[in-house]
Amino acid sequence: MKLETDICTGLPQSTQAKTASGREWEKLGSRHSTPPPKFATSTWVRLFHPPTAFSFDEAWLLCECSEQKWLAWIPDYGEILLSTHEFCAT
């Protein structure tokens, strides 16, 4: 039984380089393939663009309306429907 390194050393140099670079791409891809964070009810999130110049820049998540929409409450503003791209976890 041969190890992967033994198999690669028997290949021409160009094939060895392709195999090595393929492994590097796999490592790089696996590092960045984590799913985006899931939000939970009753948590504070930071707003990228508050609804008014005088409102808070944080919102309290009330409930998830769909995969991309959340009903939230902003102090001194009230309830608002937010898309997940409009806020991030604090």
Side-chain angles (χ1 to χ4, degrees):
M1 181 172 166
K2 290 186 176 186
L3 298 174
E4 186 176 316
T5 54
D6 295 335
I7 295 169
C8 287
T9 55
L11 298 173
Q13 286 287 29
S14 62
T15 308
Q16 286 181 21
K18 288 178 186 173
T19 305
S21 66
R23 280 190 223 114
E24 293 302 317
W25 277 109
E26 286 176 7
K27 288 178 190 173
L28 182 64
S30 66
R31 255 188 269 157
H32 299 289
S33 63
T34 56
K38 284 288 186 183
F39 301 103
T41 58
S42 301
T43 56
W44 287 100
V45 293
R46 177 140 341 256
L47 300 173
F48 295 125
H49 303 288
T52 69
F54 304 106
S55 65
F56 283 74
D57 63 347
E58 290 185 326
W60 181 257
L61 295 179
L62 299 174
C63 67
E64 187 175 17
C65 296
S66 70
E67 199 171 297
Q68 300 292 321
K69 300 278 186 183
W70 279 85
L71 182 63
W73 174 78
I74 301 173
D76 293 337
Y77 181 80
E79 290 183 356
I80 187 169
L81 189 61
L82 297 171
S83 295
T84 54
H85 67 273
E86 295 179 291
F87 59 89
C88 65
T90 54

